[in-house]
Amino acid sequence: MEHLVEHMKISYHSGHEPTCGVCKKHCRSFESLREHLIGPLPKQECKNIFSLRGCRFCMMILESPNARRIHQERCQFSSVNAGLTTRMAALGLRDKALIDYTSSRSPKVVALSCKMVGGGSDGSLDLCARVCITDESDNVVFHTYVKPSMVVTNYRYGTTGIRPENLREAMPLKHAQRKIQEFLCDGEPMWKIRPRGGRGRILVGHGLDHDLDRLQLEYPSSMMRDTAKYPPLMKTSKLSNSLKYLTQAYLGYDIHVGIQDPYEDCVATMRLYTRMRYQKHKIEAYPQAADSQNRSNQVAWRQNEVEKMSPDEMLSISRSDYYCWCLDSLA
């Protein structure tokens, strides 16, 4: 019991973690849950039930094999036509350098992705040369080529599809930076932006810190939803998964086949965010261990009192050590 109490103090188990639908084991990530169900050394009972009634995308256990078949067809997304959209962008047919959303139909959540060309003597320095922003309905809000402030020494055409002529008359970096900043803040001062009740937009992406750094933009971390850093989507080693892997494993289609399109990345990250956001978890008054009102998960627990609790009672007072995206749906 002493070991169990110590484990609960440092594990931050909660109802927001991925949980096995068979044995109710709490896992730190969906990758860990996947290993528990179908990995090299799965729990055999859980594996047997999952093989018959489990969705391989969201890892949910359904009532019957037929219910699983119907659910899995709905759970799998179809890919966007990346080849077509890339050709359209090369011809300038999808460039949208003006952000014309009015307040009445302005999106609260947007996804951003950049594509980089190379700078420096060896072409290894990332320079933003193309940026795309989409809304929750996969509509393009903003898309433009960006003219870097440094000389481009490697266009990385094999993956970016960008040629010198695409950047010759492209929007200057400072201009693109200002437009994106104004759109994200929506007229609200940076210090005043907050997830609930404010006008600033929630920003979704993969590797957002890097993209914003290359755009020379600052944005509050509380407003960023990064699929590369969200604990349930990370590896069991706590390293980031690639967006290509996350899309294939949890959405059911392939991206980054040939030339990479930032629109394709925006759609994938928004779909991942939406899937995580609409998970049904127990509503708690103070869902995070860091909330000052919570004294659970802390050394302040009285050992003799906690040792009298059952595991379920311990779990009921335990709180998560990360912000679960399902809380965005309550805003």
Side-chain angles (χ1 to χ4, degrees):
M1 181 56 74
E2 288 180 8
H3 287 299
L4 177 60
V5 172
E6 289 303 315
H7 168 74
M8 291 298 289
K9 283 183 178 180
I10 63 174
S11 64
Y12 298 95
H13 287 313
S14 76
H16 295 278
E17 290 178 312
T19 305
C20 176
V22 182
C23 68
K24 307 305 178 185
K25 175 184 177 180
H26 285 252
C27 301
R28 291 298 288 173
S29 66
F30 282 101
E31 193 79 356
S32 177
L33 177 58
R34 191 180 293 272
E35 289 184 5
H36 168 75
L37 292 169
I38 55 176
L41 296 171
K43 186 174 180 181
Q44 199 60 44
E45 178 189 0
C46 298
K47 177 185 177 182
N48 293 341
I49 294 175
F50 184 81
S51 65
L52 294 174
R53 299 192 278 121
C55 174
R56 66 187 181 94
F57 302 118
C58 68
M59 315 304 289
M60 182 185 294
I61 304 294
L62 284 303
E63 295 178 355
S64 66
N66 188 52
R68 172 232 184 154
R69 180 183 59 79
I70 296 171
H71 169 88
Q72 195 161 270
E73 288 175 357
R74 294 174 179 171
C75 206
Q76 182 175 13
F77 284 89
S78 58
S79 63
V80 297
N81 194 334
L84 177 60
T85 55
T86 298
R87 289 194 294 273
M88 287 172 65
L91 295 171
L93 298 179
R94 211 188 60 219
D95 282 8
K96 189 172 183 179
L98 296 176
I99 301 177
D100 59 358
Y101 269 94
T102 61
S103 58
S104 61
R105 59 190 183 94
S106 182
K108 180 63 179 174
V109 182
V110 295
L112 177 145
S113 179
C114 300
K115 288 303 169 187
M116 311 292 173
V117 291
S121 58
D122 60 353
S124 62
L125 181 64
D126 285 345
L127 305 173
C128 178
R130 193 173 166 198
V131 61
C132 182
I133 299 176
T134 64
D135 64 14
E136 291 183 85
S137 301
D138 301 341
N139 299 313
V140 176
V141 176
F142 179 73
H143 173 268
T144 186
Y145 286 102
V146 178
K147 191 171 187 176
S149 54
M150 291 178 59
V151 176
V152 178
T153 54
N154 184 357
Y155 285 88
R156 304 174 183 174
Y157 177 78
T159 55
T160 67
I162 297 174
R163 299 177 183 274
E165 54 266 29
N166 297 131
L167 304 185
R168 201 164 290 139
E169 302 296 329
M171 182 181 292
L173 177 62
K174 292 291 183 184
H175 191 181
Q177 175 197 85
R178 185 174 68 253
K179 280 180 171 292
I180 295 170
Q181 186 93 62
E182 290 174 353
F183 174 68
L184 293 178
C185 295
D186 196 22
E188 198 165 41
M190 187 75 72
W191 61 270
K192 200 175 179 181
I193 293 175
R194 57 191 184 279
R196 299 185 184 185
R199 294 170 58 186
R201 307 178 202 280
I202 291 174
L203 182 62
V204 178
H206 189 83
L208 278 174
D209 287 338
H210 181 254
D211 282 354
L212 294 184
D213 179 66
R214 296 297 85 193
L215 285 167
Q216 299 174 23
L217 274 175
E218 292 184 0
Y219 203 57
S221 59
S222 62
M223 300 295 288
M224 293 161 57
R225 306 290 181 262
D226 195 334
T227 55
K229 297 169 67 175
Y230 188 51
L233 293 177
M234 297 178 76
K235 298 178 181 179
T236 53
S237 60
K238 297 185 179 180
L239 297 175
S240 298
N241 276 304
S242 68
L243 182 58
K244 181 182 177 71
Y245 169 79
L246 292 176
T247 304
Q248 196 279 328
Y250 300 108
L251 301 179
Y253 67 93
D254 292 317
I255 62 171
H256 297 172
V257 179
I259 291 176
Q260 299 177 15
D261 189 338
Y263 172 76
E264 186 180 51
D265 290 358
C266 285
V267 171
T269 54
M270 184 62 83
R271 288 174 173 178
L272 286 166
Y273 167 76
T274 302
R275 177 151 289 175
M276 296 296 107
R277 175 178 178 174
Y278 289 109
Q279 292 183 100
K280 295 180 180 179
H281 295 150
K282 180 183 177 182
I283 299 175
E284 300 158 330
Y286 306 106
Q288 288 184 269
D291 291 334
S292 58
Q293 294 87 345
N294 280 330
R295 299 312 301 164
S296 56
N297 297 114
Q298 306 297 323
V299 180
W301 272 1
R302 294 183 180 178
Q303 188 83 8
N304 61 339
E305 292 182 3
V306 180
E307 286 183 4
K308 296 176 184 177
M309 295 182 182
S310 68
D312 287 340
E313 288 173 328
M314 280 190 241
L315 182 61
S316 70
I317 65 171
S318 184
R319 293 293 181 267
S320 173
D321 60 346
Y322 65 88
Y323 179 86
C324 181
W325 291 348
C326 77
L327 300 175
D328 285 346
S329 62
L330 304 177

